[in-house]
Amino acid sequence: MPSNSPSRSEPLLELCHDGSATGCLCAVAEAYKHPGRKVLFTCPDRDLPLFADAGFSVASDPARAERFLNYLTERSSSDVVHTLLRALTAMPEAIEAGLLAYARKAVLQGACIVQAHADPDVRFVHRWARRVSLEIHRFKGLLRFQELKSGRFLALFEPDYDITLPLAFHFRLRLASQRWIILDGRRHCAATWNGLRLNAEAPGGDLLQGDLLERCLAGDEPSADEARSRALWQTFHRTVAIETRTNPDLQRQCMPARYWKHLPEMNDSSE
Amino acid sequence: MTIDEKLAVLTDAAKYDASCASSGSNRKGTRTGSTSVSGICHSWSSDGRCISLLKILLSNVCLYDCAYCINRRSNDLPRTSFSVPEVVSLTMDFYRRNYIEGLFLSSAVFGPPDRVMEQMVTIARRLRQEEGFGGYIHLKAIPGASLELMRQAGLFADRVSVNIELPSEASLQQLAPEKTKADIITPMAFLGNSIRDNRAERRQNRRAPAFAPGGHSTQLIVGASPESDFQIVRLGESLYQRFALNRVYYSAFIPVNRYDSRLQQVEMPPLLREHRLYQADWLLRNYGYRADELLSEQQPDLDVILDPKAMWAVRNFHVFPMDVNRADYASILRVPGIGVTSARRIVSARRFQALTLEDLAKLGVVLKRARYFIVAAGRLIDRLPSSAEHVRRILEKEEKTVHAEQLTLPF
């Protein structure tokens, strides 16, 4: 019998969270304390099922979320928790129920749960974790920085998932000697690096309308060298292709068109 | 020439080199840059090839006259060279914007091999020492350059490689008479031994300086000379075994010098043949196949319609069906439609439950190929094809991805 199957004696447990990753984790932690009860997770962004009420509101408490993750780490492994957090980043539909089932099985079976590839609950979490990891890996290559007059570098992108922070950790090591800003134009959040310290800018305002962008840039503009470097890169990208092997389908398959907007090489006016 | 014009000429001259890998190295620069063991692709060109490194020639001024090469001295082309500071500055400008993972530097032979190689090593040294650069550097060694320069190259670069160019010594003599087998094999053996020794040393002492931590590779042209697939795959196998190469790249011959009668006459690059050779090479490196299992003197060429793994499975149909719930990992790997990842997942997942065909599909197995070669929980054995010929017909029918125009190529 599945661990979260309904019990005749206890009513449906309705848990409402604020829609954030922390809120979601807290709701899962609360549900975890009620084995055997059927749980309905809701959040303000989601339509409630017919006849459902708002239910018990779970506060978004980072300390509680961390305690829950520590508990899972002790009972399973850091790999399990890492995978769970990656899947959480995607925030797909029914993520709470998926994480709850995964957490229960991880505690029951320990670290080896990551190898149970045929289990539907494990597969659900792994599938979403893989998608997020793939997008992080893609943007390690596809993120483009432009140099500003102040010497800072700006990277604007619109990923499918909220991956600004994992990318910022990557570029903190890679581009350690330059100051930069990574801006997620879809979620209106950013990460900045000043050469010593990494800061996360909270969501707020409409980035593409200029709010956060203007706040981060403070009047800064592309540097004098920027257009030249961009043109050189476009020349390289154009020239390195072998005409007799032209295969635009393969190019699109490897580099989906939804990522092209912020790639200088795919916006080459001389082509 | 402006820097933009130079870049266009020297990229155009370098684009036929197949290698663009940035994997195998884990380096951190003192100021800018790092490498990732898995490698990172930064873009894809319109031919569908990944762009990871700034792939350029230092110069396309060449003293040699190799029959297959666009840069041969007898071709009337714009000729130019980068200066050392130009390459350093271009690499850093691109890297800071995250356009590239690093530099791939090759060169035509514009003077004595040592002089050419020395300039290439200087660029790598300046990037590392003066710019504090920790990104990927792949240097293409110049045949005939001294081993001391190879050693220096290995200390600054993540990968150093020598192109073997053609699949046999006879073809090399005919098509690239200024290059000798010794010029290629000597540095390749030196690199292989040095990399092996350095890895052993670094296991003892992690602070020992790394020598080409990304290993070394080579490239050969397929279709410019008359060798069979069997000769090529056997050569690849021998290179992996003798010189501990990371990769052998196969480059479909692009007839850029049609006027040279020493070359095989082809209308289009043999892309399907190149693809099949990469598949066979993959089987050698990751699936535990031997060259003589795939091909022989009697059957010297890879199948046009079936991939090499399916071809082997049809020819060895007597070893199937494989019980996925019992067979060992190496045997499962031999089933068409099951790759390394799926095989690993099968071996892990079957410890928790007996696997059915439906489970296998969810683990990533390509059932439309694998189903003819396996037994899973709940699967009756009498539903499998009765003979090798039968399964071959089924697979050929299902092989819809082969481009019709490729089937007519004369190889």
Side-chain angles (χ1 to χ4, degrees):
Chain A
M1 188 177 174
S3 51
N4 60 344
S5 62
S7 156
R8 282 179 188 280
S9 55
E10 293 186 80
L12 177 72
L13 179 62
E14 293 179 34
L15 297 175
C16 177
H17 63 86
D18 63 2
S20 69
T22 306
C24 176
L25 266 183
C26 291
V28 174
E30 179 62 32
Y32 188 87
K33 287 160 56 180
H34 303 276
R37 274 186 76 174
K38 186 165 183 181
V39 187
L40 174 68
F41 293 97
T42 61
C43 71
D45 297 340
R46 228 174 281 162
D47 289 336
L48 285 174
L50 198 61
F51 304 124
D53 55 31
F56 174 65
S57 180
V58 181
S60 183
D61 176 4
R64 184 183 190 188
E66 194 175 340
R67 284 199 302 277
F68 181 56
L69 294 177
N70 287 341
Y71 171 79
L72 290 180
T73 309
E74 281 166 22
R75 299 298 172 99
S76 53
S77 69
S78 52
D79 267 1
V80 168
V81 171
H82 178 75
T83 308
L84 185 144
L85 287 175
R86 278 280 154 91
L88 178 64
T89 305
M91 277 288 185
E93 202 176 325
I95 179 70
E96 302 92 338
L99 294 186
L100 179 62
Y102 187 72
R104 288 203 195 287
K105 286 184 177 169
V107 170
L108 201 66
Q109 309 210 28
C112 67
I113 193 66
V114 291
Q115 296 179 341
H117 300 285
D119 184 303
D121 294 325
V122 174
R123 239 183 12 245
F124 172 83
V125 170
H126 283 195
R127 188 174 69 239
W128 286 104
R130 254 198 321 276
R131 287 186 186 181
V132 173
S133 296
L134 173 65
E135 192 173 52
I136 292 171
H137 182 75
R138 272 182 168 156
F139 271 109
K140 283 180 182 175
L142 292 177
L143 200 69
R144 297 283 177 263
F145 288 87
Q146 51 177 309
E147 192 182 24
L148 304 174
K149 275 184 180 162
S150 63
R152 293 188 303 170
F153 285 77
L154 166 71
L156 182 59
F157 75 139
E158 294 178 52
D160 294 339
Y161 308 118
D162 182 9
I163 55 170
T164 304
L165 266 186
L167 278 178
F169 283 118
H170 169 76
F171 286 104
R172 184 184 63 169
L173 297 174
R174 174 157 290 202
L175 302 178
S177 62
Q178 62 197 59
R179 293 175 297 139
W180 46 253
I181 310 158
I182 299 174
L183 282 167
D184 178 342
R186 184 179 283 183
R187 285 165 199 79
H188 317 142
C189 62
T192 60
W193 170 254
N194 65 5
L196 294 170
R197 194 184 155 96
L198 189 65
N199 283 313
E201 296 283 338
D206 186 343
L207 175 65
L208 292 181
Q209 293 300 318
D211 239 18
L212 181 59
L213 188 60
E214 279 170 21
R215 185 147 51 91
C216 288
L217 296 184
D220 220 344
E221 289 174 0
S223 71
D225 282 347
E226 188 51 37
R228 181 180 153 272
S229 294
R230 194 181 163 98
L232 284 170
W233 169 241
Q234 287 169 338
T235 298
F236 172 75
H237 192 271
R238 209 169 42 242
T239 319
V240 82
I242 299 176
E243 299 81 7
T244 49
R245 299 184 67 129
T246 299
N247 192 344
D249 289 345
L250 182 58
Q251 181 189 35
R252 191 178 290 261
Q253 185 186 325
C254 298
M255 185 169 62
R258 66 181 184 277
Y259 297 142
W260 292 5
K261 185 175 164 188
H262 299 291
L263 298 175
E265 66 269 32
M266 303 312 290
N267 296 280
D268 183 357
S269 53
S270 63
E271 270 187 312
Chain B
M1 261 192 201
T2 65
I3 189 79
D4 192 75
E5 288 163 343
K6 278 190 185 181
L7 181 63
V9 168
L10 294 169
T11 302
D12 195 49
K15 68 185 178 188
Y16 298 104
D17 220 308
S19 168
C20 199
S22 56
S23 57
S25 178
N26 189 10
R27 183 189 293 271
K28 168 90 180 73
T30 52
R31 284 204 292 280
T32 295
S34 59
T35 57
S36 159
V37 176
S38 61
I40 296 174
C41 295
H42 284 248
S43 193
W44 280 264
S45 52
S46 57
D47 55 16
R49 298 191 305 163
C50 142
I51 298 173
S52 172
L53 306 173
L54 170 62
K55 191 191 291 180
I56 47 172
L57 294 194
L58 174 62
S59 170
N60 70 340
V61 178
C62 199
L63 301 176
Y64 292 176
D65 206 28
C66 306
Y68 49 82
C69 183
I70 185 75
N71 300 311
R72 60 189 292 185
R73 68 167 180 264
S74 50
N75 278 351
D76 182 20
L77 294 170
R79 304 279 178 175
T80 187
S81 303
F82 276 127
S83 68
V84 170
E86 280 171 343
V87 177
V88 170
S89 158
L90 205 52
T91 306
M92 294 308 294
D93 276 356
F94 280 10
Y95 196 88
R96 286 192 189 103
R97 290 164 174 79
N98 203 39
Y99 293 164
I100 53 168
E101 192 66 8
L103 172 68
F104 174 106
L105 187 62
S106 183
S107 183
V109 187
F110 55 79
D114 273 0
R115 207 179 103 213
V116 182
M117 191 71 200
E118 197 174 7
Q119 281 201 35
M120 294 168 69
V121 171
T122 303
I123 288 169
R125 183 178 54 73
R126 281 207 192 173
L127 279 168
R128 294 288 188 228
Q129 294 182 343
E130 293 175 17
E131 300 292 332
F133 179 66
Y136 203 90
I137 299 179
H138 181 164
L139 293 183
K140 191 62 80 174
I142 303 300
S146 74
L147 295 184
E148 171 52 24
L149 283 167
M150 298 286 165
R151 190 189 68 79
Q152 290 181 32
L155 291 175
F156 297 119
D158 295 282
R159 179 171 285 194
V160 186
S161 56
V162 194
N163 280 356
I164 197 163
E165 308 288 12
L166 291 157
S168 72
E169 191 176 3
S171 293
L172 189 72
Q173 275 177 0
Q174 194 189 4
L175 302 181
E178 285 118 332
K179 293 177 181 170
T180 66
K181 183 181 172 188
D183 284 346
I184 293 166
I185 296 299
T186 308
M188 194 181 280
F190 171 79
L191 289 169
N193 291 334
S194 303
I195 290 167
R196 209 178 281 152
D197 293 348
N198 183 251
R199 284 182 182 160
E201 187 187 358
R202 280 168 63 83
R203 276 195 289 275
Q204 306 289 322
N205 173 17
R206 287 181 57 198
R207 294 186 176 201
F211 183 92
H216 68 140
S217 57
T218 193
Q219 171 172 324
L220 57 91
I221 298 165
V222 175
S225 51
E227 290 81 5
S228 68
D229 290 346
F230 182 43
Q231 285 171 284
I232 294 172
V233 174
R234 210 167 42 180
L235 171 67
E237 182 180 53
S238 134
L239 290 171
Y240 288 125
Q241 288 169 352
R242 285 178 60 198
F243 302 123
L245 278 158
N246 285 52
R247 282 293 297 273
V248 177
Y249 290 95
Y250 306 93
S251 173
F253 170 52
I254 297 173
V256 286
N257 304 321
R258 289 184 190 276
Y259 59 84
D260 197 318
S261 59
R262 290 173 295 172
L263 295 162
Q264 299 280 304
Q265 295 304 307
V266 297
E267 284 305 309
M268 289 286 288
L271 298 181
L272 179 60
R273 186 181 183 197
E274 177 196 275
H275 180 57
R276 291 280 180 252
L277 283 168
Y278 273 120
Q279 288 176 318
D281 183 85
W282 192 255
L283 294 182
L284 298 184
R285 289 188 295 131
N286 299 312
Y287 286 72
Y289 286 78
R290 296 190 319 271
D292 58 10
E293 284 183 286
L294 297 171
L295 295 164
S296 63
E297 297 287 0
Q298 291 72 39
Q299 290 176 308
D301 290 319
L302 292 163
D303 201 298
V304 176
I305 299 173
L306 294 184
D307 66 78
K309 194 175 172 187
M311 183 188 77
W312 180 87
V314 169
R315 286 181 190 167
N316 295 275
F317 195 60
H318 58 278
V319 307
F320 298 102
M322 209 74 79
D323 183 347
V324 289
N325 285 300
R326 291 173 187 276
D328 61 26
Y329 172 75
S331 304
I332 291 175
L333 265 186
R334 299 230 161 189
V335 178
I338 299 184
V340 170
T341 305
S342 314
R344 284 194 187 136
R345 285 182 185 160
I346 288 171
V347 173
S348 301
R350 70 187 183 186
R351 285 164 40 206
F352 295 83
Q353 63 189 83
L355 302 175
T356 62
L357 279 187
E358 289 69 32
D359 291 330
L360 292 177
K362 287 165 185 166
L363 295 182
V365 172
V366 183
L367 273 185
K368 72 170 185 178
R369 303 160 79 73
R371 62 189 313 138
Y372 308 113
F373 301 95
I374 52 173
V375 178
R379 169 73 184 262
L380 297 174
I381 198 161
D382 62 2
R383 293 172 66 188
L384 292 164
S386 53
S387 67
E389 196 43 45
H390 184 193
V391 78
R392 182 183 181 93
R393 280 202 305 274
I394 296 172
L395 289 178
E396 283 183 353
K397 203 173 165 188
E398 288 185 358
E399 188 56 73
K400 292 173 184 163
T401 54
V402 178
H403 299 297
E405 67 271 21
Q406 286 287 333
L407 297 176
T408 62
L409 291 177
F411 54 78

